[in-house]
Amino acid sequence: MSKGAETPVIKVLTLFPEMVRTVLETSIPGRAAKQDLVRYEVVDIRDFSVDKHRTVDDTAYGGGAGMIMMVPPVVEAVESVRKRDDATVILTTPQGATFDEVMTLDLLDDLQLKGELILICGHYKGIDERARELVVTREVSIGDYVLSGGELPALVIADALVRRIEGVLHNEDSAGNDSFTLARGGGLDCQWYTKPPEYRGLKVPDVLLSGHHGNIEKWRSDQAASRTRNRRPDLADPDEGIGSDT
Ligand code: 6GU
């Protein structure tokens, strides 16, 4: 982040604020906040209920199983934290676009440009369509399976973003060779070893103990390429694969 810019704020609207806070205080996301590289605001949607029972959901008009999140608490919770009219407001839902490395970098740009990013953790069967119309600007899924709530997806998105903020990762966190890093072709990482050099007859490959940095780098990039081809042919050849845009 450039000097003088304000600390970007990730705002998470949820029915389970303790769950969200606990994760954001832990590990790298927690360290990033302590270093003032990001801030988190966790909002309990229930605080914006409009009745004395703190109701935030109800049965669907027209019938059917499952509860629907009501429009007033969701809209009013967003309005209570949103600083800019053009803020990106993400709803986590299995019906959203699938989260990936490209979206991570796009949302990171957005967070840094606008200074805020709002994540609504979807719940129950869904949210009243009018809440989407009024405040949601983007719908994001983390994959083709159904989770009990939007907290884990929102935390996945927050974690992926925070670790890409400049200064968050230290050398020992070794970001440059992470899998999917577009700078290294968007493929998978190679295999890694540490001490001991032999365990139950399994040896660390000789090249890694050779001290020859050129050979080591070549071995690692060859291994990464063959892993990517074998495990994720869609990443190895994006024109042919399931991840293709065409
Ligand atoms: Cl964003 N929400 C829920 N409930 N389930 C999911 C998801 C989101 N992404 C994958 N599964």
Side-chain angles (χ1 to χ4, degrees):
M1 202 177 44
S2 64
K3 262 203 191 122
E6 273 188 48
T7 305
V9 189
I10 297 176
K11 303 173 181 184
V12 184
L13 281 50
T14 172
L15 295 173
F16 299 99
E18 284 321 307
M19 170 186 182
V20 171
R21 268 192 209 104
T22 299
V23 175
L24 294 177
E25 282 167 9
T26 305
S27 187
I28 289 171
R31 192 179 74 194
K34 285 199 192 81
Q35 294 181 340
D36 263 334
L37 296 167
V38 66
R39 287 201 298 117
Y40 309 116
E41 281 178 32
V42 180
V43 176
D44 188 345
I45 295 172
R46 221 172 265 287
D47 290 344
F48 295 86
S49 166
V50 289
D51 70 25
K52 64 172 190 271
H53 305 293
R54 295 178 40 93
T55 309
V56 289
D57 62 311
D58 211 327
T59 52
Y61 278 124
M67 303 293 273
I68 308 299
M69 266 166 90
M70 301 165 84
V71 63
V74 173
V75 167
E76 283 156 46
V78 169
E79 288 172 348
S80 79
V81 293
R82 189 177 55 189
K83 287 263 171 66
R84 310 170 50 123
D85 289 339
D86 65 346
T88 294
V89 179
I90 295 174
L91 173 68
T92 56
T93 163
Q95 285 139 49
T98 309
F99 188 61
D100 65 4
E101 172 74 0
V102 173
M103 200 191 294
T104 302
L105 298 179
D106 185 36
L107 293 177
L108 178 63
D109 268 353
D110 195 77
L111 171 65
Q112 289 177 327
L113 192 72
K114 294 176 180 166
E116 66 177 333
L117 183 71
I118 300 172
L119 288 156
I120 305 171
C121 302
H123 244 271
Y124 306 119
K125 201 172 150 40
I127 76 171
D128 189 304
E129 186 64 20
R130 293 166 294 181
R132 294 180 205 233
E133 278 176 45
L134 287 167
V135 293
V136 172
T137 67
R138 211 160 167 166
E139 296 179 43
V140 180
S141 161
I142 61 165
D144 292 341
Y145 40 82
V146 176
L147 297 167
S148 310
E151 279 71 20
L152 292 171
L155 290 164
V156 164
I157 295 164
D159 184 296
L161 288 182
V162 166
R163 57 187 283 107
R164 305 305 289 270
I165 295 172
E166 207 181 309
V168 168
L169 291 191
H170 302 166
N171 214 11
E172 70 269 19
D173 304 318
S174 67
N177 44 33
D178 277 347
S179 291
F180 309 112
T181 299
L182 296 173
R184 50 171 293 281
L188 302 182
D189 196 3
C190 63
Q191 55 274 61
W192 294 84
Y193 299 86
T194 186
K195 291 185 253 314
E198 182 175 342
Y199 182 69
R200 298 194 181 178
L202 298 175
K203 290 187 173 142
V204 173
D206 284 337
V207 60
L208 298 177
L209 308 175
S210 70
H212 190 300
H213 292 293
N215 288 352
I216 292 170
E217 278 320 297
K218 168 139 192 356
W219 182 86
R220 285 181 173 159
S221 79
D222 289 348
Q223 293 295 317
S226 75
R227 280 201 159 187
T228 305
R229 268 194 315 276
N230 292 334
R231 298 179 184 202
R232 292 294 302 273
D234 57 308
L235 294 177
D237 191 354
D239 294 335
E240 300 288 315
I242 51 173
S244 166
D245 286 331
T246 52

